[in-house]
Amino acid sequence: MHKRVYEYPSHVPVHSGSFIVEFEDHQVHTHAENLNALSSVSVHKRFTKGFHGAVVATSKDLNPEMLAQVPGVKRIWRNRKHSLTTRKGKREITSPFLHQMTGVAQAMQEFGLDGTGVKIGIVDTGVDYNHPELGACWKTEGCPWQFGEDFIGDKYDSSSDNPIIEPNDTPMDCDGHGTHVSGIIGARGPQVQGVAPGATLGMYRIFSCPVDDTSYTDDAIILQGMTAAYEDGCDIISLSLGGGGWAEDPLAVLASKLVDEGVLVIAANGNEGYDGMLTSSSPAIGKGVISTILAGDDFSQSAILPDGKYRLRIAVLRPFGDAGNEDDFEMWDSDEITFGE
């Protein structure tokens, strides 16, 4: 089977000496021990379900091609860093018409669909499970929160190549983003109702506490949260995260594999619209993944085009190309589009 080392462009932040390795088959422990036998190589985490692979620490100057020569190794990626910036909104969302606008009210009232019997895993910054709208409980009888854990803790420092990871006993949110997402999905009153208030929920915390409104994580930690949600038997996995990437990067690869196993994976398409109309994010770009975006009528950067004839010039960056290098783009023009005539 073809082996390949995937290298990110120079502007993509990665942990030096940290790699994610995918194996050719399910013999994870055998292949991991082959890696451990190399000098200056240590296997830190093994994945045996959903994704067959490992997280590997090496000396900073190790050439990943050495890892690719180990029997059983299929693909190798550097451990990419991710950030999430959260800012407090200026408006309270109090509209009673939101569920009518999205069709949620119809699904509940006409078809009786409120999430009952469905297990939803949320991979995010954690959740304030003490919030009265979210059950005010954690893994007790009758509590919506029956699954989940913390994979990162409060001491993670993204600037370090060996960040401290000390998970807490529960995935309590110190950012707010995960609590916000949890409310959209599963809030059950008294004041707010989510789209699936009857669902059984799990929270898999994979982001650090914020520093200057920004929280951090990396591919290896996100993979742990995704695989844990899969192992817990979640029917749906929500990933309100992502960044510029390709269907060949590890998050998209795992998301696609989970879809093949029958899991409904829903991921944000990112906040990189300024990079181009057709820009997509990983893991949302994975095969079979449901990619979501925000749609509304309050866009401050809307553009009004006068009547006339137009062509779109489409530029697609080649996999793992450098966005700063024009030669790394495939470009073509669309058919002519007419507005107002």
Side-chain angles (χ1 to χ4, degrees):
M1 189 172 290
H2 179 63
K3 299 174 181 177
R4 182 173 180 182
V5 176
Y6 286 80
E7 290 285 4
Y8 292 106
S10 58
H11 67 276
V12 175
V14 297
H15 286 298
S16 297
S18 181
F19 297 91
I20 295 168
V21 179
E22 182 184 16
F23 299 133
E24 292 177 346
D25 53 44
H26 64 279
Q27 299 181 45
V28 172
H29 298 300
T30 297
H31 301 321
E33 289 308 312
N34 289 337
L35 289 171
N36 264 331
L38 298 176
S39 60
S40 303
V41 174
S42 176
V43 175
H44 281 190
K45 176 67 180 177
R46 305 179 187 197
F47 300 100
T48 59
K49 295 183 179 180
F51 179 83
H52 296 136
V55 179
V56 176
T58 72
S59 58
K60 292 184 179 181
D61 58 351
L62 183 135
N63 186 339
E65 293 291 345
M66 288 183 58
L67 303 178
Q69 302 306 314
V70 174
V73 170
K74 179 181 179 181
R75 288 185 281 197
I76 299 171
W77 302 268
R78 294 187 183 273
N79 188 11
R80 181 177 48 175
K81 301 178 184 180
H82 297 269
S83 62
L84 171 70
T85 299
T86 304
R87 297 186 178 89
K88 183 178 176 61
K90 297 181 179 179
R91 295 188 302 174
E92 293 292 331
I93 307 299
T94 58
S95 171
F97 309 111
L98 294 179
H99 283 345
Q100 282 79 8
M101 294 169 61
T102 58
V104 171
Q106 181 182 15
M108 290 183 177
Q109 295 165 9
E110 296 186 20
F111 303 105
L113 300 176
D114 67 352
T116 299
V118 178
K119 295 167 67 174
I120 303 176
I122 306 168
V123 182
D124 215 294
T125 67
V127 60
D128 180 2
Y129 48 79
N130 291 323
H131 198 293
E133 307 290 331
L134 296 173
C137 57
W138 180 253
K139 293 186 179 181
T140 56
E141 185 176 356
C143 180
W145 300 101
Q146 291 296 323
F147 304 95
E149 58 186 292
D150 181 5
F151 291 94
I152 192 167
D154 301 339
K155 298 180 181 180
Y156 181 90
D157 181 0
S158 180
S159 64
S160 171
D161 285 326
N162 295 293
I164 297 173
I165 299 177
E166 295 182 357
N168 298 313
D169 292 336
T170 64
M172 175 56 74
D173 192 1
C174 55
D175 177 282
H177 184 274
T179 299
H180 166 72
V181 171
S182 299
I184 294 173
I185 295 173
R188 52 203 63 204
Q191 299 183 57
V192 178
Q193 188 175 63
V195 300
T200 301
L201 305 175
M203 173 56 72
Y204 304 85
R205 180 188 168 201
I206 46 84
F207 273 100
S208 68
C209 289
V211 177
D212 296 329
D213 296 324
T214 301
S215 299
Y216 299 92
T217 187
D218 56 50
D219 279 345
I221 296 172
I222 298 174
L223 287 174
Q224 291 182 60
M226 294 172 67
T227 54
Y230 169 67
E231 291 176 10
D232 283 341
C234 289
D235 304 297
I236 300 172
I237 297 178
S238 167
L239 295 146
S240 182
L241 56 88
W246 303 99
E248 300 90 348
D249 80 21
L251 301 185
V253 166
L254 174 56
S256 299
K257 290 179 180 294
L258 297 183
V259 170
D260 289 341
E261 293 295 323
V263 180
L264 189 65
V265 180
I266 304 174
N269 205 27
N271 301 320
E272 288 79 32
Y274 50 79
D275 286 342
M277 184 177 66
L278 301 180
T279 302
S280 189
S281 294
S282 175
I285 200 171
K287 182 179 179 181
V289 177
I290 296 178
S291 175
T292 62
I293 61 171
L294 167 69
D297 59 359
D298 184 21
F299 296 102
S300 61
Q301 297 181 352
S302 297
I304 305 299
L305 296 176
D307 293 348
K309 297 181 183 294
Y310 297 87
R311 289 185 187 273
L312 295 177
R313 171 147 290 180
I314 302 170
V316 178
L317 185 64
R318 296 189 181 96
F320 293 88
D322 184 348
N325 183 357
E326 185 175 343
D327 292 336
D328 278 352
F329 285 88
E330 295 280 356
M331 303 185 68
W332 67 91
D333 291 338
S334 72
D335 294 336
E336 192 171 79
I337 303 170
T338 301
F339 289 107
E341 295 182 1

